[in-house]
Amino acid sequence: MLFYCFNFCVHRKFCCVIYLQVFNAKTAELLSHHQVEIQQKFPKEGWVEQDPKEILKSVHECVERTCEKLQQLNIDITNIKAIGVSNQRETTVVWDKTTGEPLYNAIVWLDLRTQSTVERLLKRIPGKNKFRTGLPLSTYFSAVKLRWLLDNVEEIRQAVDDGRAMFGTIDSWLIWSLTGGKNGGVHCTDVTNASRTMLFNIHSLEWDPELCQFFDIPMEILPKVRSSSEIYGLMKSGALTGVPISGCLGDQSAALVGQMCFQDGQAKNTYGTGCFLLCNTGQKSVFSEHGLLTTIAYKLGRDKPVCYALEGSVAIAGAVVRWLRDNLGIVKTSQEVEKLAAEVGTSYGCYFVPAFSGLYAPYWEPSARGIICGLTQFTNKNHIAFAALEAVCFQTREILDAINKDCGIPLNQLQVDGGMTNNKVLMQLQSDILCIPVVKPSMPETTALGAAMAAGAAEGVGIWSLNPGDLTAVTCERFEPQINPEESEYRYARWKKAVLKSMGWETSEAPSNGKPEINAGQVLLISQLA
């Protein structure tokens, strides 16, 4: 009998999409899939929201449509043995456990409304101590989004006071809803998602009371933290009623598992709306001296050890392509950017720093804003398209340099995945700028595969072996450097010059004396609490 795993992927691509993919647990073959686009809301400049009910409705639609497709392929859906969830890690949801209704839209990871909250909290952080979360105090993570909701949404404050509020990232919302919701739904998350909240101690693997006190977050609204691979509950409705949900990984951890980066020093880079490079550091939590995050990679079973990763996060990757299409209108489809770039093969000295949401790793500079520099009368839309793709590669180079410095052993190749890897010009540029080979699996959406692997390997399911000798070999496409290192270094140096020019543009408060009230580039680790 063949076995299959579902995966609910709330992915960050050129648009916001719910994916559902079905895999053969013996061969890792993708059997069927369905996707539904959901609307992303921008109610104010810098604000990014999603409707949790629309996300849930789209998941149900994906389940039903995919099951119909399987039946058309003469595949018995009773052979579906496990469900895995992969999700945007930092996107924040609060809902009412008595009604099952969200109390506000989900605040997306890219959202910038909390900058003033961050600056206020930065003033309260005491001196250095041991690391607890591995994260900088930034608008990126869930705790400050939750703090904003508590400060600004009366309905949420009232629900907390009444004991009706539940908090979670998208995985918690989906698992709770799919396992019964207000009628006994399971309120949980996994260690990878919890580690992105700034409320979780990545060493004790528990919610940290002092961190919750610092942010003034009531611990009773937090989900129970579990491993990434265990049975959390059963589907309570729809075509898959009774099937266990047994895998849960934040999207970047899922991609690391899907790329089978189980050894210390193995790394992958996922190209979606943002760009996320993770390097497995094994059971040792390595703290970066070069602007990277320390995060939990996975814990594949209740009794399995936790593994850690160094992560470099880039806010804008695929989103820059969408910006060229939707905002500038120089292309009608995302695919046209590759064609424009290929026609010229150079930016002609034009450099694009897409710091639309500030700069993430390795700078953590919220005051930065996007710039295009080096323009001449000769510059045209082809050069700008090339510069946009090159910007994604330069940002990856900055992260890879930081990982090499922190780990001490340079990577000799980079494994890649995500929707943007279909762009061959981008992949060749990436190899040229890194001066190492870039390796792309034949199925680029390894995030879904990773969640399916975790679900299938769970105790009580046991249909997917994660032993290295049992893992299916994946065919890959390889891109080798085609320019000399000197040219690569010259272009990289020019890029870094452009990055410096992008900094210091914005502060959340108007200066009273011509100078910013707080150094917007200051980043302290919230894990430095005494």
Side-chain angles (χ1 to χ4, degrees):
M1 180 182 291
L2 296 177
F3 300 101
Y4 312 98
C5 293
F6 267 94
N7 177 63
F8 301 134
C9 288
V10 186
H11 266 285
R12 303 185 286 229
K13 297 192 66 159
F14 301 146
C15 54
C16 195
V17 178
I18 306 295
Y19 283 93
L20 196 151
Q21 295 164 308
V22 188
F23 295 91
N24 183 320
K26 292 184 177 180
T27 65
E29 176 190 3
L30 177 63
L31 299 174
S32 186
H33 66 92
H34 192 77
Q35 68 183 60
V36 177
E37 291 190 14
I38 64 171
Q39 182 182 7
Q40 202 144 236
K41 305 173 188 296
F42 305 93
K44 295 183 181 180
E45 183 179 355
W47 293 29
V48 190
E49 299 177 357
Q50 294 164 354
D51 181 352
K53 291 179 70 175
E54 184 183 2
I55 292 173
L56 181 61
K57 179 182 177 182
S58 298
V59 166
H60 284 300
E61 180 181 342
C62 281
V63 169
E64 299 307 316
R65 298 292 83 76
T66 304
C67 287
E68 290 173 4
K69 291 179 181 180
L70 290 173
Q71 290 169 338
Q72 291 169 6
L73 295 170
N74 294 319
I75 295 174
D76 187 351
I77 63 172
T78 63
N79 284 334
I80 296 171
K81 302 300 181 183
I83 297 168
V85 178
S86 170
N87 61 286
Q88 297 175 342
R89 296 169 295 176
E90 301 83 11
T91 298
T92 300
V93 189
V94 180
W95 65 95
D96 188 323
K97 65 183 178 183
T98 63
T99 66
E101 294 292 314
L103 295 170
Y104 195 82
N105 279 336
I107 300 181
V108 176
W109 64 285
L110 272 173
D111 188 282
L112 293 176
R113 76 186 69 187
T114 57
Q115 185 55 43
S116 60
T117 304
V118 168
E119 292 180 1
R120 185 177 74 247
L121 291 169
L122 276 170
K123 298 174 184 178
R124 293 175 44 205
I125 292 183
K128 288 188 176 182
N129 205 323
K130 66 177 184 178
F131 299 142
R132 297 190 186 191
T133 69
L135 307 177
L137 183 48
S138 164
T139 60
Y140 186 8
F141 306 107
S142 304
V144 292
K145 302 180 194 301
L146 181 52
R147 183 66 260 153
W148 185 92
L149 288 167
L150 291 167
D151 288 340
N152 292 278
V153 183
E154 173 61 31
E155 191 175 359
I156 289 179
R157 284 199 300 271
Q158 189 62 53
V160 170
D161 291 343
D162 295 345
R164 295 181 285 109
M166 284 183 165
F167 154 79
T169 43
I170 293 293
D171 59 301
S172 296
W173 163 246
L174 288 179
I175 292 173
W176 183 82
S177 300
L178 296 171
T179 57
K182 63 183 180 180
N183 299 312
V186 178
H187 188 210
C188 70
T189 188
D190 90 303
V191 291
T192 67
N193 283 292
S195 73
R196 310 297 289 193
T197 61
M198 286 198 294
L199 301 172
F200 188 70
N201 188 312
I202 62 174
H203 310 290
S204 67
L205 304 184
E206 296 175 338
W207 298 118
D208 191 298
E210 290 187 44
L211 290 170
C212 291
Q213 183 179 17
F214 175 79
F215 287 104
D216 195 17
I217 302 297
M219 295 185 71
E220 59 270 17
I221 73 172
L222 304 178
K224 182 178 180 180
V225 182
R226 301 171 71 167
S227 77
S228 308
S229 179
E230 61 178 274
I231 295 176
Y232 313 111
L234 307 179
M235 288 281 286
K236 294 299 184 183
S237 64
L240 299 182
T241 297
V243 176
I245 301 175
S246 54
C248 180
L249 287 156
D251 50 3
Q252 303 314 316
S253 290
L256 194 73
V257 171
Q259 288 268 28
M260 302 177 197
C261 295
F262 294 124
Q263 303 299 315
D264 292 16
Q266 287 186 307
K268 68 86 200 171
N269 198 30
T270 299
Y271 300 77
T273 295
C275 205
F276 303 87
L277 201 161
L278 268 69
C279 180
N280 192 332
T281 63
Q283 296 179 43
K284 180 182 179 183
S285 54
V286 176
F287 289 93
S288 175
E289 297 180 358
H290 301 94
L292 302 177
L293 310 177
T294 301
T295 195
I296 292 179
Y298 49 79
K299 187 178 188 295
L300 295 173
R302 282 178 289 189
D303 300 322
K304 301 291 184 180
V306 64
C307 288
Y308 296 90
L310 280 173
E311 175 174 346
S313 306
V314 171
I316 303 296
V320 74
V321 174
R322 185 178 63 201
W323 184 82
L324 293 177
R325 183 194 67 194
D326 297 344
N327 293 47
L328 289 195
I330 67 173
V331 294
K332 292 182 179 179
T333 67
S334 300
Q335 292 71 28
E336 286 182 48
V337 174
E338 179 178 8
K339 181 181 177 183
L340 287 178
E343 287 174 354
V344 289
T346 177
S347 68
Y348 199 74
C350 171
Y351 288 86
F352 189 166
V353 182
F356 302 151
S357 301
L359 291 169
Y360 283 16
Y363 301 101
W364 297 104
E365 179 56 80
S367 72
R369 287 297 180 268
I371 64 167
I372 302 174
C373 57
L375 299 174
T376 71
Q377 285 183 313
F378 182 73
T379 306
N380 61 34
K381 64 181 181 180
N382 297 69
H383 301 120
I384 292 174
F386 191 96
L389 297 183
E390 207 172 32
V392 176
C393 301
F394 285 134
Q395 291 178 103
T396 298
R397 166 75 185 268
E398 291 186 306
I399 293 171
L400 194 67
D401 282 356
I403 284 178
N404 288 340
K405 290 173 184 175
D406 283 324
C407 294
I409 303 174
L411 291 176
N412 57 17
Q413 69 175 33
L414 181 65
Q415 294 172 233
V416 300
D417 58 77
M420 285 192 82
T421 60
N422 292 322
N423 186 320
K424 293 184 182 296
V425 171
L426 176 69
M427 292 296 95
Q428 185 57 56
L429 266 175
Q430 189 67 88
S431 179
D432 290 344
I433 289 168
L434 296 180
C435 301
I436 60 174
V438 167
V439 180
K440 173 195 167 185
S442 55
M443 187 195 71
E445 292 297 348
T446 53
T447 303
L449 178 61
M453 291 166 65
E459 182 181 354
V461 179
I463 60 174
W464 204 312
S465 172
L466 298 182
N467 295 323
D470 298 331
L471 296 173
T472 304
V474 178
T475 57
C476 297
E477 185 176 3
R478 192 176 178 91
F479 297 84
E480 300 280 352
Q482 293 182 356
I483 64 173
N484 61 56
E486 291 76 18
E487 181 182 347
S488 176
E489 291 301 321
Y490 173 78
R491 286 156 61 178
Y492 184 45
R494 300 267 285 182
W495 155 263
K496 293 181 81 70
K497 184 178 179 181
V499 169
L500 291 175
K501 294 182 182 297
S502 76
M503 295 182 182
W505 284 90
E506 293 291 338
T507 57
S508 64
E509 298 178 12
S512 58
N513 59 358
K515 296 181 180 180
E517 182 176 317
I518 183 170
N519 176 8
Q522 177 186 10
V523 173
L524 300 177
L525 291 180
I526 193 62
S527 50
Q528 292 168 357
L529 285 168

